[in-house]
Amino acid sequence: MISNTTDNKFELAKELFYSKLITGAYLRMEEDYVSALDYFNQAIDLEPNNYEGYLEKSICMSLFNKPIDSIRILYEGLFRCNFSYCFSNEEREVEKQYFFNIFKGLIEEANERYEESLLLYKKAAELVPNGFYALFSLGFSLGSLSLDSGPIDATLKVKYIKESKQYFLDALEILQKSSHHSKYHKFYISILYTNIGWVERESNELSNESLRYYTLAANLNQKHIRAFCSRASLYSKQNLYSEAIADISTCIQIRENHVNHWIGIDTKLQQCIQQRLQKRQRSNNNTEEDDEEYIKILKLLDYLDSTESESLLNKIKEESEYTRKSKGLSLSQMRAYEKRLSDLYEERGILYLENNQIFESMKDFTIARVIYPLGSYAYMISCYTLINILGSVTRGMKILTKYETLISDEEYLRDNYPNLSRTDFIDMSTLYKYRADWHNNVATISTGDMYQDNLKKASSDEKMGKMLMNIGRIF
């Protein structure tokens, strides 16, 4: 009777722990990192000596671009932990050595020392040949080595890719065959499919085998953002733009639910532009070019300068405070979520541009600028489109001037972006470099005062760009 009671308590504790861990993992896959961390913390609170809570939380921190916090959590886990449900009581000593090597390997990986992490993962795999975490980590480490930005021998790259895929396949097989893993780590199947697709593409960027794995991953978890983004990237390389746009649109819908004050911004913008087009038609004022795409873009840009736009954005700003407080987000966390949503609009904007859907592209880059005004890429592509595709130099340069005014407003930055990152400053510097290049190009076809004026502007922008880049480097 006592034994049965003890067994029941053990099973109940295990189920409760994994319910928190699994929920956190699925939230992590849809990139809702703050909510995911909350569940991982709940799992750790339930069982502060369990390796898996710290491991999954550290991965979440790493994906949330917080490598130092990720390393800290791993060290804390090494100090506190002494068991997991993956091992029996008789295997605790082996388990301790196994997770020591996994955790140390993840620390090396966080510091981008992939060869060192590889050796540690191999030690873990030697201790426990059917250990899921070691095989998964070996696959990831080898895949990362194949991406090494430095010079890498082609034969060695092929070897890394082949071995990486095999480790992922081995991990997948163990996960599916083990009753424990198939029940409590099922969420990893979609991740493994995506990773296999990733390494397949390293040997063939148009790989249909990659497409198959990405589709398996997306079908298994329809909120796995990385699976959809990866498949969209592959579709775009295959010139399947409608399919790529659909996948990025799915990612946008998922991300908008995390910062729901932005839900429907696309539709609202479309409606406002349509109203302006209808007014133009009623007025019969057709002095502008008859190109429908061009006129729609002009109406889009005019709308952004209007009081209607200001009213809409003020309303969204008010809603954003409710979103932030209801979700328990800090201002910097909400800005991080908004930046990722802005990035997805940029990605879709590029796809529209490549598919020659100019208005849709400009609309997405406009939304990207509205959601995260500090991201320079959307400004640069908007400027490029206006100048090089639509031939409107004045409007193109006006967009860059808006950005310059924005990032020069110290009070605005302090109140709205209290924790500017290294990436933000590098982003700002990129725009100044872009504008400097433009002025230099204009100078080459100019004479007299215009020549001198553009050289002077180019020099000023180059200096500002270098200054911002240097600030970014010391972050």
Side-chain angles (χ1 to χ4, degrees):
M1 183 70 179
I2 294 173
S3 176
N4 286 340
T5 303
T6 304
D7 288 345
N8 286 340
K9 285 183 177 179
F10 177 83
E11 287 301 319
L12 286 170
K14 181 166 72 171
E15 291 298 325
L16 185 56
F17 172 80
Y18 275 119
S19 71
K20 303 298 184 184
L21 198 79
I22 291 167
T23 302
Y26 278 112
L27 287 166
R28 187 177 66 197
M29 291 166 75
E30 62 180 87
E31 297 184 1
D32 186 359
Y33 297 123
V34 174
S35 299
L37 286 167
D38 181 46
Y39 277 94
F40 291 137
N41 284 332
Q42 289 180 48
I44 290 170
D45 288 342
L46 285 169
E47 297 189 1
N49 301 325
N50 191 319
Y51 288 104
E52 287 193 87
Y54 295 89
L55 191 154
E56 298 296 346
K57 182 181 176 182
S58 76
I59 293 170
C60 191
M61 278 295 186
S62 181
L63 292 170
F64 202 20
N65 292 320
K66 295 182 181 295
I68 294 173
D69 290 323
S70 175
I71 291 168
R72 178 185 57 77
I73 291 159
L74 289 165
Y75 276 118
E76 186 181 350
L78 284 172
F79 176 75
R80 289 177 176 271
C81 297
N82 56 23
F83 93 104
S84 75
Y85 291 112
C86 302
F87 291 81
S88 66
N89 287 332
E90 292 75 25
E91 298 171 311
R92 293 303 173 207
E93 188 53 43
V94 172
E95 175 187 56
K96 181 180 178 181
Q97 295 176 52
Y98 176 78
F99 277 110
F100 173 84
N101 285 295
I102 295 291
F103 277 41
K104 292 291 283 186
L106 286 168
I107 290 167
E108 294 293 350
E109 199 173 288
N111 287 304
E112 298 184 356
R113 294 195 289 262
Y114 297 113
E115 290 184 2
E116 290 83 349
S117 70
L118 192 62
L119 293 173
L120 289 158
Y121 296 146
K122 283 181 176 178
K123 286 181 181 178
E126 287 168 5
L127 285 164
V128 186
N130 64 343
F132 165 76
Y133 281 119
L135 294 171
F136 180 91
S137 300
L138 278 165
F140 189 83
S141 192
L142 283 161
S144 299
L145 277 171
S146 75
L147 294 174
D148 195 336
S149 57
I152 181 171
D153 180 74
T155 306
L156 190 59
K157 182 182 175 77
V158 171
K159 178 176 178 288
Y160 286 154
I161 291 170
K162 185 178 178 181
E163 290 179 358
S164 173
K165 181 182 177 181
Q166 190 57 55
Y167 278 123
F168 284 140
L169 288 170
D170 290 345
L172 183 62
E173 183 181 3
I174 286 168
L175 194 151
Q176 292 171 327
K177 284 184 175 180
S178 161
S179 58
H180 175 83
H181 287 311
S182 61
K183 181 176 182 180
Y184 298 114
H185 299 112
K186 189 177 179 180
F187 60 87
Y188 265 108
I189 296 178
S190 181
I191 298 171
L192 282 164
Y193 283 150
T194 306
N195 285 358
I196 294 167
W198 158 49
V199 293
E200 277 285 339
R201 275 198 78 188
E202 285 306 300
S203 55
N204 176 11
E205 69 172 13
L206 298 176
S207 169
N208 283 321
E209 186 69 356
S210 288
L211 184 59
R212 184 173 76 85
Y213 277 110
Y214 290 149
T215 300
L216 285 169
N219 289 344
L220 196 60
N221 180 358
Q222 296 183 10
K223 289 188 176 182
H224 188 186
I225 285 184
R226 184 166 161 252
F228 283 99
C229 280
S230 298
R231 190 170 68 174
S233 172
L234 179 51
Y235 276 142
S236 71
K237 289 292 182 182
Q238 296 177 335
N239 296 324
L240 298 171
Y241 291 109
S242 295
E243 290 85 348
I245 288 165
D247 275 354
I248 295 296
S249 297
T250 297
C251 296
I252 286 171
Q253 289 173 359
I254 296 167
R255 289 297 295 182
E256 279 184 339
N257 284 323
H258 305 154
V259 278
N260 50 28
H261 48 282
W262 292 111
I263 290 176
I265 183 65
D266 191 344
T267 305
K268 289 172 186 174
L269 212 54
Q270 280 273 35
Q271 290 171 344
C272 293
I273 296 161
Q274 193 60 39
Q275 288 168 5
R276 284 175 170 261
L277 287 170
Q278 289 169 354
K279 285 180 183 177
R280 177 182 181 276
Q281 289 167 358
R282 286 196 296 269
S283 70
N284 293 320
N285 180 14
N286 297 322
T287 57
E288 294 169 332
E289 289 86 339
D290 291 328
D291 187 310
E292 186 181 344
E293 284 269 286
Y294 183 67
I295 292 168
K296 284 165 74 177
I297 290 168
L298 293 184
K299 293 302 174 189
L300 168 65
L301 297 175
D302 289 343
Y303 173 72
L304 286 182
D305 293 331
S306 70
T307 54
E308 297 168 71
S309 170
E310 187 178 347
S311 175
L312 174 63
L313 294 178
N314 283 337
K315 184 179 179 183
I316 290 172
K317 187 176 180 181
E318 289 173 11
E319 292 171 354
S320 74
E321 273 303 291
Y322 175 78
T323 300
R324 187 172 73 80
K325 290 173 181 176
S326 65
K327 288 182 175 288
L329 300 174
S330 68
L331 184 57
S332 61
Q333 286 171 336
M334 189 172 74
R335 293 296 181 240
Y337 273 29
E338 289 178 329
K339 185 178 188 311
R340 179 60 178 132
L341 178 59
S342 173
D343 290 344
L344 287 168
Y345 272 106
E346 286 180 3
E347 288 180 46
R348 195 173 70 176
I350 285 291
L351 291 170
Y352 277 130
L353 190 60
E354 290 175 350
N355 201 36
N356 204 33
Q357 294 173 261
I358 309 301
F359 169 71
E360 296 296 338
S361 172
M362 278 295 290
K363 178 164 62 66
D364 273 1
F365 283 116
T366 298
I367 293 171
R369 289 191 283 127
V370 168
I371 292 173
Y372 192 76
L374 296 192
S376 67
Y377 189 69
Y379 291 86
M380 288 189 289
I381 296 296
S382 298
C383 176
Y384 171 86
T385 302
L386 285 163
I387 293 175
N388 296 80
I389 298 177
L390 300 173
S392 181
V393 175
T394 303
R395 286 181 179 271
M397 295 310 289
K398 183 180 178 182
I399 283 177
L400 296 192
T401 302
K402 273 187 177 182
Y403 184 75
E404 182 181 26
T405 303
L406 184 79
I407 65 176
S408 301
D409 188 338
E410 292 183 12
E411 184 179 351
Y412 170 81
L413 294 177
R414 185 174 60 251
D415 292 345
N416 293 279
Y417 299 89
N419 296 307
L420 289 174
S421 69
R422 176 177 181 270
T423 307
D424 288 318
F425 282 105
I426 292 173
D427 243 10
M428 295 176 197
S429 73
T430 304
L431 183 127
Y432 278 100
K433 183 180 182 303
Y434 175 86
R435 196 168 67 174
D437 290 342
W438 189 86
H439 282 302
N440 277 323
N441 287 335
V442 173
T444 61
I445 56 172
S446 304
T447 57
D449 290 343
M450 184 176 286
Y451 171 77
Q452 293 296 333
D453 184 50
N454 275 287
L455 282 184
K456 185 177 178 181
K457 287 177 179 177
S459 176
S460 174
D461 282 346
E462 283 169 358
K463 287 176 183 176
M464 180 61 81
K466 286 177 181 177
M467 183 190 77
L468 289 167
M469 178 64 80
N470 287 333
I471 293 172
R473 283 172 178 158
I474 63 175
F475 259 66

